[in-house]
Amino acid sequence: MAQPVISSPHAESKRPFLTEQRRSRITAYTFISPFFILFSIFGLYPIFFTIYLSFFKWDALNPMKFVGMKNYELVTSDPTFWISFSNTLIMGLLGTVPQIILALLIAILLNSGMTRFKKTFRILFFMPNITSIVAVTLVFSTLFGNNGMINWMLNGLGLESVAFNSGWWGVKIAISSMVMWRWTGYNAIIFLSGLQSIPTDLYEAARIDGANRRQQLTFITLPLLKPFIVFVTLLSTIGALQLFTEPYVFLGQSGTGSTRQEGITMVTYLYSEAFRNGFFGTAAATAVLLFVVTIIFSVLNMLVSSRMGGDTGGGKA
Amino acid sequence: MSTLRLLKKDPDDLGIFGKIGFYLILILGALVSIFPFYWMFVVGTNDRGAVFHVPPLLTVGNQFFENFQRVLDKTDFFQALGNSLFVSSMVTISVVFFCTLAGYAFAKYEFPFKNILFYFVIATLFVPQQLGVLPTYVIMAKLHWIDSFKALIVPAMVNAFGIFWMRQYISTAVHTELIEAGRIDGGGHFRIFWNIAIPVITPAMATLGILNFMTVWNDFFWPLVVLKNQENFTIQIALQQLFSNRDGLDYGMIMSATFTATLPLLIVFLLFSRWVIAGLTSGAIKS
């Protein structure tokens, strides 16, 4: 980082109150203040209030009533909550793991020297990310319909149709593939920028030592790409835990909303507790639980990634 | 990559079949990426039953305006599009301005608690939006902002990602000597920011602007929570409303609406895609 100069303390510090240094500090605090003001009101305060609220019974209309841990007991004894929890994890795994592997593959292919039309491919792969999730979900709900294109293709391959819009696995596969479609290209672009930051002379040296393509991949590319893989995995995990729009829209066709058990997620559960049933207390408890789960998974992520690819620079990523 | 090109005759060369396979995978991936856009258009331009054709219909029809007319009958489509345009523009202008200011301060000023404050900004990226959604809703209700665009705009006016993004760019792109020179010439802090820093960092501001515009345009959860009245719906909520009706799904109508709603963003993206992607890859992770 460049050396900051504006607050150079030597500048006429004998002047009365507003010295140059004070003036520049005040300016800096003024420049950063909008974030801290807005975040205090719409970020920090709500977080603490959510935690506070999770110990009260409240419907947003009548006075709040302290109930202790009751909300947490209610939520954790509700089978629907656990279904939403396991759904979130299953769809998270289905949508994230294959996606990251695929993104890595695409990035490596795009990065290898012989690819022509590299820029065009990058744009095409990135395009899904700009579409709204609502639009993606609507399109995929036609593709995954009972007589939709995916089933038609499955039949063509001699396979049975899958009830993508009502089956236990069908719904999860359909929703995960929407997530994958939207984010694979985006992550591939992030990986690609990581690959491009690897110095080429490393490969040259490896070649001189007689390393083949596979060895170069496992001993140079993957270890050096590790920070990018960790970053993408972390963000994908956090995103997966907050899955809402896809299941909400996909399962909302009948107008009854999205609490159907095949695809309910933790956030859908939270949403319907609060804004459908008016149970703000249990919804707040759900939000806190969601946050705890997010932290646990983020920490797990860090632990796993700090273990892999140790000092030898080897190992699989 | 230049290495691979230099050493064409190495034993690891994939050979002609390898190359074909290689391009096949990429082309297949690209087709999967763009097919839904095409399919949206196919269904939107064909009659109501087009989705259920066996084998699937793959050709563009001529029913687009009929389908779109039914959209106009059911929703205030252009009103929703205008609402989205208004909200997204307001948020974007504000985000770009405030994030650039904050990023500049973090990159070029020295002040007490700077690092702690910056880490705090980064840490907020990892807090799920849903954690604070209920109290935020209550605040909005108290302010009488429910069903108003203020509820969408004000909380989104500055964000941590943007600050991080601008700081990364400014710390390398804006030379400290330039700012120094401005100080010697007696320019005020804001004037130096405006006249010296801003012209240098417009590319980063543009990228942030486009990324932010797309995020706000595509947001669904928060507008769903605070918007009640149809005339205030953003385009995402309006699209979802088309989908959630009981009397049989008119996919021709839905897809003509989805396509029309996606088109502006698609055009903007294709015009600026180079910027967006280059910006994204350069600013992704550097610290």
Coordinates of all heavy atoms in Angstrom, one line a residue, chain A residues 82-98 167-177 179-180 240-241 243 261-266 297:
Chain A
W82 N -36.4 -28.6 11.2 CA -35.3 -29.6 10.9 C -35.3 -30.0 9.4 O -34.2 -30.2 8.8 CB -35.3 -30.8 11.8 CG -35.0 -30.3 13.2 CD1 -35.8 -30.2 14.3 CD2 -33.6 -29.9 13.6 NE1 -35.1 -29.7 15.3 CE2 -33.8 -29.5 14.9 CE3 -32.4 -29.8 13.0 CZ2 -32.7 -29.0 15.7 CZ3 -31.3 -29.3 13.7 CH2 -31.5 -29.0 15.0
I83 N -36.5 -30.1 8.8 CA -36.6 -30.4 7.4 C -35.9 -29.2 6.6 O -35.1 -29.4 5.7 CB -38.0 -30.6 6.9 CG1 -38.6 -31.9 7.6 CG2 -38.1 -30.6 5.4 CD1 -40.0 -32.1 7.4
S84 N -36.3 -28.0 7.0 CA -35.7 -26.8 6.3 C -34.1 -26.8 6.5 O -33.4 -26.5 5.6 CB -36.3 -25.5 6.8 OG -35.6 -25.1 8.1
F85 N -33.7 -27.3 7.7 CA -32.3 -27.3 7.9 C -31.6 -28.3 7.0 O -30.6 -28.1 6.3 CB -32.0 -27.6 9.4 CG -30.6 -27.8 9.8 CD1 -29.8 -26.7 9.9 CD2 -30.1 -29.0 10.1 CE1 -28.5 -26.8 10.3 CE2 -28.7 -29.1 10.5 CZ -27.9 -28.0 10.6
S86 N -32.2 -29.6 7.0 CA -31.5 -30.6 6.2 C -31.6 -30.3 4.7 O -30.7 -30.5 3.9 CB -32.1 -32.0 6.5 OG -33.4 -32.1 6.1
N87 N -32.8 -29.7 4.3 CA -32.9 -29.3 2.9 C -31.8 -28.3 2.5 O -31.2 -28.4 1.5 CB -34.3 -28.6 2.7 CG -35.4 -29.5 2.5 OD1 -35.2 -30.8 2.5 ND2 -36.6 -29.0 2.4
T88 N -31.6 -27.3 3.4 CA -30.6 -26.3 3.1 C -29.2 -26.9 2.9 O -28.5 -26.6 2.0 CB -30.5 -25.3 4.3 OG1 -31.8 -24.8 4.5 CG2 -29.6 -24.1 3.9
L89 N -28.9 -27.9 3.8 CA -27.6 -28.5 3.7 C -27.5 -29.4 2.4 O -26.5 -29.3 1.7 CB -27.3 -29.4 4.9 CG -27.2 -28.7 6.3 CD1 -26.6 -29.7 7.3 CD2 -26.3 -27.5 6.2
I90 N -28.6 -30.2 2.2 CA -28.5 -31.0 1.0 C -28.4 -30.2 -0.3 O -27.5 -30.4 -1.1 CB -29.8 -31.9 0.9 CG1 -29.8 -32.9 2.1 CG2 -29.9 -32.6 -0.4 CD1 -31.1 -33.7 2.2
M91 N -29.2 -29.1 -0.4 CA -29.2 -28.3 -1.6 C -27.9 -27.5 -1.6 O -27.3 -27.3 -2.7 CB -30.4 -27.4 -1.6 CG -31.6 -28.1 -2.0 SD -33.0 -27.0 -2.4 CE -33.8 -26.8 -0.8
G92 N -27.4 -27.2 -0.5 CA -26.1 -26.5 -0.4 C -25.0 -27.4 -1.0 O -24.2 -26.9 -1.8
L93 N -25.0 -28.7 -0.6 CA -24.0 -29.6 -1.1 C -24.2 -29.8 -2.6 O -23.2 -29.8 -3.4 CB -24.1 -30.9 -0.4 CG -23.3 -31.0 1.0 CD1 -23.6 -32.4 1.6 CD2 -21.8 -30.9 0.7
L94 N -25.4 -30.1 -3.0 CA -25.7 -30.4 -4.4 C -25.3 -29.2 -5.3 O -24.9 -29.4 -6.4 CB -27.2 -30.7 -4.6 CG -27.7 -32.1 -4.2 CD1 -29.1 -32.2 -4.4 CD2 -26.9 -33.2 -4.9
G95 N -25.6 -28.0 -4.8 CA -25.4 -26.8 -5.6 C -24.0 -26.3 -5.6 O -23.5 -25.6 -6.5
T96 N -23.2 -26.6 -4.5 CA -21.9 -26.0 -4.4 C -20.7 -26.9 -4.8 O -19.9 -26.4 -5.6 CB -21.7 -25.7 -2.9 OG1 -22.8 -25.0 -2.4 CG2 -20.5 -24.8 -2.7
V97 N -20.7 -28.1 -4.4 CA -19.6 -29.0 -4.7 C -19.3 -29.2 -6.2 O -18.3 -28.9 -6.7 CB -19.6 -30.3 -3.9 CG1 -18.5 -31.2 -4.2 CG2 -19.7 -30.0 -2.4
P98 N -20.4 -29.7 -6.9 CA -20.1 -29.9 -8.3 C -19.8 -28.6 -9.0 O -19.1 -28.5 -10.0 CB -21.5 -30.5 -8.8 CG -22.3 -30.8 -7.7 CD -21.7 -30.0 -6.5
G167 N -41.2 -34.1 -6.3 CA -40.5 -35.2 -5.7 C -39.5 -34.7 -4.7 O -39.0 -33.6 -4.8
W168 N -39.2 -35.5 -3.7 CA -38.3 -35.1 -2.6 C -36.9 -34.7 -3.2 O -36.3 -33.7 -2.9 CB -38.2 -36.2 -1.6 CG -37.2 -35.9 -0.5 CD1 -35.9 -36.4 -0.4 CD2 -37.4 -35.2 0.7 NE1 -35.4 -35.9 0.8 CE2 -36.3 -35.2 1.5 CE3 -38.6 -34.5 1.2 CZ2 -36.1 -34.5 2.7 CZ3 -38.4 -33.8 2.4 CH2 -37.3 -33.8 3.1
W169 N -36.4 -35.6 -4.0 CA -35.1 -35.4 -4.6 C -35.2 -34.5 -5.8 O -34.4 -33.6 -6.1 CB -34.4 -36.7 -5.0 CG -33.7 -37.3 -3.9 CD1 -34.1 -38.4 -3.2 CD2 -32.5 -36.9 -3.2 NE1 -33.3 -38.7 -2.2 CE2 -32.3 -37.8 -2.1 CE3 -31.7 -35.8 -3.4 CZ2 -31.2 -37.6 -1.3 CZ3 -30.6 -35.6 -2.5 CH2 -30.4 -36.5 -1.5
G170 N -36.3 -34.7 -6.6 CA -36.6 -33.9 -7.8 C -36.5 -32.4 -7.5 O -35.7 -31.7 -8.2
V171 N -37.2 -31.9 -6.5 CA -37.2 -30.5 -6.2 C -35.8 -30.0 -5.9 O -35.3 -29.0 -6.3 CB -38.2 -30.2 -5.1 CG1 -38.0 -28.8 -4.5 CG2 -39.6 -30.4 -5.5
K172 N -35.1 -30.8 -5.1 CA -33.8 -30.4 -4.7 C -32.8 -30.3 -5.8 O -32.0 -29.4 -5.9 CB -33.2 -31.3 -3.6 CG -34.0 -31.2 -2.3 CD -33.5 -32.2 -1.3 CE -34.2 -32.0 0.1 NZ -35.6 -32.4 -0.1
I173 N -32.9 -31.3 -6.7 CA -32.0 -31.3 -7.9 C -32.3 -30.1 -8.8 O -31.5 -29.4 -9.2 CB -32.2 -32.6 -8.7 CG1 -31.6 -33.8 -7.8 CG2 -31.5 -32.6 -10.0 CD1 -31.9 -35.2 -8.4
A174 N -33.6 -29.9 -9.0 CA -34.0 -28.7 -9.8 C -33.5 -27.4 -9.2 O -32.9 -26.6 -10.0 CB -35.5 -28.7 -10.0
I175 N -33.7 -27.2 -7.9 CA -33.3 -25.9 -7.3 C -31.7 -25.8 -7.3 O -31.2 -24.8 -7.7 CB -33.8 -25.8 -5.9 CG1 -35.4 -25.6 -6.0 CG2 -33.2 -24.7 -5.1 CD1 -36.1 -25.7 -4.7
S176 N -31.1 -26.9 -7.0 CA -29.6 -26.9 -7.0 C -29.1 -26.6 -8.4 O -28.1 -25.9 -8.6 CB -29.0 -28.2 -6.6 OG -29.5 -28.6 -5.4
S177 N -29.7 -27.1 -9.5 CA -29.2 -26.8 -10.8 C -29.4 -25.4 -11.2 O -28.6 -24.8 -12.0 CB -29.8 -27.8 -11.8 OG -31.2 -27.7 -11.8
V179 N -29.1 -22.9 -9.0 CA -28.0 -22.2 -8.4 C -26.7 -22.5 -9.2 O -25.9 -21.5 -9.4 CB -27.8 -22.8 -6.9 CG1 -26.6 -22.2 -6.3 CG2 -29.1 -22.5 -6.1
M180 N -26.5 -23.7 -9.6 CA -25.3 -24.0 -10.3 C -25.2 -23.2 -11.6 O -24.2 -22.7 -12.0 CB -25.3 -25.5 -10.7 CG -24.6 -26.3 -9.7 SD -24.6 -28.0 -10.2 CE -23.3 -27.9 -11.5
A240 N -25.3 -20.4 0.0 CA -26.1 -21.6 0.0 C -27.0 -21.6 1.2 O -28.2 -22.0 1.2 CB -25.3 -22.9 -0.1
L241 N -26.4 -21.2 2.3 CA -27.2 -21.2 3.6 C -28.3 -20.2 3.5 O -29.3 -20.3 4.3 CB -26.3 -20.9 4.8 CG -25.3 -22.0 5.1 CD1 -24.3 -21.5 6.2 CD2 -26.0 -23.2 5.6
L243 N -30.2 -19.6 0.9 CA -31.1 -19.9 -0.3 C -32.5 -19.5 0.0 O -33.1 -20.0 1.0 CB -30.9 -21.3 -0.6 CG -31.5 -21.8 -1.9 CD1 -30.8 -21.2 -3.1 CD2 -31.5 -23.3 -2.0
Q261 N -42.6 -29.0 1.9 CA -41.5 -29.6 2.6 C -40.3 -30.0 1.7 O -39.2 -30.1 2.2 CB -42.0 -30.7 3.4 CG -43.2 -30.4 4.2 CD -43.0 -30.4 5.7 OE1 -42.4 -31.4 6.2 NE2 -43.3 -29.3 6.4
E262 N -40.6 -30.3 0.5 CA -39.5 -30.8 -0.4 C -38.4 -29.7 -0.6 O -37.3 -30.0 -0.8 CB -40.0 -31.2 -1.8 CG -41.2 -32.1 -1.8 CD -42.5 -31.4 -1.8 OE1 -42.7 -30.6 -2.7 OE2 -43.3 -31.6 -0.9
G263 N -38.8 -28.5 -0.5 CA -37.8 -27.4 -0.9 C -37.7 -26.3 0.2 O -37.1 -25.3 -0.1
I264 N -38.4 -26.5 1.3 CA -38.3 -25.4 2.3 C -36.9 -25.2 2.8 O -36.2 -26.2 3.1 CB -39.3 -25.6 3.5 CG1 -39.4 -24.4 4.4 CG2 -39.0 -26.8 4.3 CD1 -40.5 -24.4 5.4
T265 N -36.4 -24.0 2.9 CA -35.0 -23.8 3.4 C -35.1 -23.0 4.7 O -36.2 -22.5 5.1 CB -34.2 -23.0 2.4 OG1 -34.8 -21.7 2.2 CG2 -34.1 -23.6 1.1
M266 N -34.0 -22.8 5.4 CA -34.0 -22.1 6.6 C -34.6 -20.7 6.5 O -35.4 -20.2 7.3 CB -32.6 -22.0 7.2 CG -32.2 -23.4 7.7 SD -30.5 -23.3 8.4 CE -30.9 -22.7 10.1
F297 N -20.1 -23.1 9.7 CA -19.7 -23.6 8.4 C -18.5 -22.8 7.9 O -17.6 -23.3 7.3 CB -20.8 -23.6 7.4 CG -21.6 -24.8 7.4 CD1 -22.6 -25.0 8.3 CD2 -21.2 -25.9 6.6 CE1 -23.3 -26.2 8.4 CE2 -21.9 -27.1 6.6 CZ -23.0 -27.3 7.5

